[in-house]
Amino acid sequence: ILALAILAACSDDEKPQDTVAPTIKNVEINDGGEYPTVTAGADMTLKAEVDDNELLQELKLEIHDIFDGHSHGKMSNTWEQIMILPLSGANQSVTEVIPVLGTAIAGKYHVVLRAIDAEGNESDFVEKEFILSNGNEPQITVSNPSFGQNEVHAPKGSNFDLQGTITEDSDLEEVVIMIAKADHEGHAGKRSASTIFMTDFNLTGSNETSFDLGQVDITIPTDAETGHYELSIVAKDNAGNYGLFIEEIHVM
């Protein structure tokens, strides 16, 4: 009887194993927005909410470029950084001020977040994209269509009237223009199944300092899926800096 009582007491004291992974939500960089901008040599403020059913342990941050979607870190002065932030409690609001590398190449980057709880359970990856500016990247100006408060419509089968210029102090090397469903994987200039238009101008060796966007002939396919797409213009200079223009259009 005594042995059974001891076994029963031990059984009551056993705690079920925690197998529930933490979650990350409300990730924001600087003033927020879909594609926030940070400046080389300045600070980037990252905010996030992390929750767990029991006890948090740490938040891991990985920052790197996503210039072409498949070959990170080709240049020595792209910004790459890994940080591990200690966490406590079951819920924590994280605000981290991160110095941006002063010599970083301009372009599209992202921060990938992963939370781990005290039992070692890992959250799903959460990714937040941002644009890094260093003041030397190509400047992209779009005069038509007018992206403002009104939604820009692009009827199927119509010619999309794109007007504007790209200017660069030294030398443009490449211009990529694409219309695709936003998948937020951050791979500017990479064709995907949702791409309905893409063209690439290789300007290497031409010593171009300006590019006329009006020369680009864009036709919206008649069989395109109705919905919201992103018009992205990516311009690369001979120093490796990327200038970006990203706006939403409605294919209908």
Side-chain angles (χ1 to χ4, degrees):
I1 294 173
L2 179 59
L4 290 174
I6 293 173
L7 287 173
C10 291
S11 178
D12 290 340
D13 290 339
E14 287 181 1
K15 186 178 181 181
Q17 183 179 3
D18 175 18
T19 59
V20 179
T23 58
I24 304 171
K25 58 186 180 181
N26 299 328
V27 179
E28 185 177 285
I29 292 176
N30 288 357
D31 294 329
E34 194 68 46
Y35 295 103
T37 298
V38 306
T39 304
D43 289 335
M44 177 179 85
T45 300
L46 174 74
K47 296 180 180 179
E49 301 285 337
V50 189
D51 296 324
D52 189 57
N53 63 316
E54 292 192 4
L55 184 63
L56 294 164
Q57 179 171 289
E58 64 184 30
L59 178 65
K60 184 176 182 180
L61 312 177
E62 297 184 44
I63 299 170
H64 56 249
D65 73 88
I66 42 176
F67 293 164
D68 58 14
H70 54 78
S71 53
H72 296 159
K74 292 188 301 181
M75 300 179 182
S76 60
N77 51 345
T78 57
W79 183 28
E80 295 186 1
Q81 187 167 342
I82 295 176
M83 304 175 66
I84 297 178
L85 308 178
L87 301 177
S88 60
N91 314 97
Q92 187 166 340
S93 297
V94 176
T95 299
E96 186 71 13
V97 178
I98 306 170
V100 182
L101 180 67
T103 57
I105 288 288
K108 201 173 186 181
Y109 289 72
H110 64 183
V111 56
V112 181
L113 301 89
R114 181 182 61 180
I116 302 173
D117 69 14
E119 289 295 325
N121 298 305
E122 297 184 5
S123 70
D124 292 334
F125 288 94
V126 174
E127 177 184 333
K128 181 65 179 179
E129 302 169 9
F130 61 92
I131 295 172
L132 192 153
S133 171
N134 61 16
N136 298 315
E137 65 271 14
Q139 300 299 306
I140 303 172
T141 301
V142 174
S143 56
N144 190 74
S146 178
F147 292 96
Q149 294 182 347
N150 297 324
E151 186 175 65
V152 172
H153 296 287
K156 299 175 187 179
S158 67
N159 292 324
F160 188 78
D161 186 18
L162 180 64
Q163 300 291 330
T165 57
I166 302 174
T167 57
E168 164 58 32
D169 290 339
S170 56
D171 184 19
L172 286 167
E173 284 202 347
E174 185 180 22
V175 173
V176 180
I177 301 173
M178 183 168 64
I179 299 176
K181 279 285 188 70
D183 59 10
H184 301 294
E185 290 300 320
H187 305 322
K190 182 180 180 182
R191 183 182 290 275
S192 68
S194 64
T195 302
I196 61 173
F197 175 84
M198 182 174 180
T199 186
D200 187 341
F201 296 87
N202 187 346
L203 306 176
T204 303
S206 63
N207 294 317
E208 297 282 349
T209 57
S210 66
F211 182 88
D212 180 12
L213 293 172
Q215 66 181 293
V216 182
D217 185 18
I218 302 176
T219 300
I220 305 299
T222 56
D223 60 351
E225 181 182 348
T226 299
H228 290 89
Y229 290 71
E230 283 184 346
L231 166 68
S232 66
I233 304 171
V234 182
K236 179 185 177 185
D237 68 14
N238 63 349
N241 293 300
Y242 286 79
L244 297 103
F245 177 91
I246 303 173
E247 285 288 352
E248 189 175 89
I249 65 173
H250 185 199
V251 173
M252 51 187 297

Coordinates of all heavy atoms in Angstrom, one line a residue, residues 22-23 25 48-57 87-94:
P22 N 6.9 28.6 -29.6 CA 6.5 30.0 -29.4 C 6.1 30.6 -30.7 O 6.3 30.0 -31.8 CB 7.8 30.7 -28.9 CG 8.9 29.8 -29.3 CD 8.3 28.4 -29.3
T23 N 5.6 31.8 -30.7 CA 5.1 32.5 -31.9 C 5.7 33.9 -31.9 O 5.9 34.5 -30.8 CB 3.6 32.6 -32.0 OG1 3.1 33.3 -30.8 CG2 3.0 31.2 -32.1
K25 N 5.0 37.8 -33.7 CA 4.0 38.6 -34.4 C 4.4 40.1 -34.3 O 5.3 40.5 -33.6 CB 2.6 38.3 -33.9 CG 2.5 38.6 -32.4 CD 1.1 38.2 -31.9 CE 1.0 38.5 -30.4 NZ -0.3 38.1 -29.9
A48 N 9.1 43.6 -32.1 CA 8.4 42.4 -32.3 C 7.7 41.9 -31.0 O 8.2 42.3 -29.9 CB 9.3 41.3 -32.8
E49 N 6.7 41.1 -31.1 CA 6.0 40.5 -30.0 C 6.3 39.0 -30.0 O 6.1 38.4 -31.1 CB 4.5 40.8 -30.0 CG 4.1 42.3 -30.0 CD 4.3 42.9 -28.7 OE1 4.3 42.2 -27.7 OE2 4.4 44.1 -28.6
V50 N 6.7 38.5 -28.9 CA 7.0 37.0 -28.8 C 6.2 36.4 -27.7 O 6.2 36.9 -26.6 CB 8.5 36.8 -28.6 CG1 8.8 35.3 -28.7 CG2 9.4 37.6 -29.6
D51 N 5.5 35.3 -28.0 CA 4.6 34.7 -27.0 C 5.0 33.2 -26.9 O 5.4 32.5 -27.9 CB 3.2 34.8 -27.4 CG 2.7 36.2 -27.4 OD1 3.1 37.0 -26.6 OD2 1.9 36.6 -28.3
D52 N 4.8 32.6 -25.7 CA 4.9 31.2 -25.5 C 3.9 30.7 -24.5 O 3.4 31.6 -23.7 CB 6.3 30.8 -25.1 CG 6.6 29.3 -25.0 OD1 6.4 28.7 -26.1 OD2 6.9 28.8 -24.0
N53 N 3.6 29.5 -24.5 CA 2.6 29.0 -23.5 C 3.2 28.8 -22.1 O 2.5 28.8 -21.1 CB 2.0 27.6 -24.0 CG 3.1 26.5 -24.0 OD1 4.2 26.8 -24.6 ND2 2.8 25.4 -23.5
E54 N 4.6 28.8 -22.1 CA 5.2 28.6 -20.8 C 6.3 29.6 -20.6 O 6.1 30.7 -19.9 CB 5.7 27.2 -20.5 CG 4.5 26.2 -20.4 CD 5.0 24.8 -20.0 OE1 6.2 24.7 -19.6 OE2 4.1 23.9 -19.9
L55 N 7.5 29.4 -21.1 CA 8.7 30.2 -20.8 C 9.5 30.4 -22.0 O 10.0 29.4 -22.6 CB 9.5 29.6 -19.7 CG 10.7 30.4 -19.2 CD1 10.2 31.7 -18.6 CD2 11.5 29.5 -18.1
L56 N 9.8 31.6 -22.4 CA 10.7 32.0 -23.5 C 12.1 31.9 -23.1 O 12.5 32.1 -22.0 CB 10.4 33.4 -24.0 CG 9.0 33.6 -24.7 CD1 8.7 35.1 -24.8 CD2 8.9 32.9 -26.1
Q57 N 13.0 31.7 -24.1 CA 14.4 31.6 -23.8 C 15.2 32.6 -24.7 O 16.0 33.4 -24.1 CB 15.0 30.2 -24.1 CG 16.5 30.1 -23.9 CD 16.9 28.6 -24.0 OE1 16.7 27.8 -23.1 NE2 17.7 28.3 -25.1
L87 N 15.4 36.2 -23.8 CA 14.0 36.5 -23.5 C 13.7 35.9 -22.1 O 14.4 34.9 -21.7 CB 13.1 35.9 -24.6 CG 13.3 36.4 -26.0 CD1 12.4 35.7 -26.9 CD2 13.1 37.9 -26.1
S88 N 12.6 36.3 -21.6 CA 12.1 35.8 -20.3 C 10.6 35.9 -20.2 O 10.0 36.7 -21.0 CB 12.7 36.6 -19.1 OG 12.4 37.9 -19.2
G89 N 10.0 35.1 -19.4 CA 8.6 35.1 -19.2 C 7.9 34.4 -20.4 O 8.5 33.8 -21.3
A90 N 6.6 34.5 -20.4 CA 5.8 33.8 -21.5 C 5.5 34.8 -22.6 O 5.2 34.3 -23.7 CB 4.5 33.2 -20.9
N91 N 5.5 36.1 -22.3 CA 5.2 37.1 -23.3 C 6.2 38.2 -23.2 O 6.5 38.7 -22.1 CB 3.8 37.6 -23.2 CG 2.8 36.6 -23.0 OD1 2.4 36.3 -21.8 ND2 2.3 35.9 -24.1
Q92 N 6.8 38.7 -24.3 CA 7.8 39.7 -24.3 C 7.7 40.6 -25.5 O 7.6 40.1 -26.6 CB 9.2 39.2 -24.1 CG 10.2 40.3 -23.9 CD 11.6 39.8 -23.4 OE1 11.6 38.7 -22.9 NE2 12.6 40.6 -23.5
S93 N 7.7 41.9 -25.3 CA 7.8 42.9 -26.3 C 9.2 43.3 -26.5 O 9.9 43.7 -25.6 CB 7.0 44.2 -26.0 OG 5.6 43.9 -25.9
V94 N 9.7 43.1 -27.7 CA 11.2 43.3 -28.0 C 11.3 44.6 -28.8 O 10.6 44.8 -29.8 CB 11.7 42.1 -28.8 CG1 13.2 42.4 -29.2 CG2 11.6 40.8 -28.0

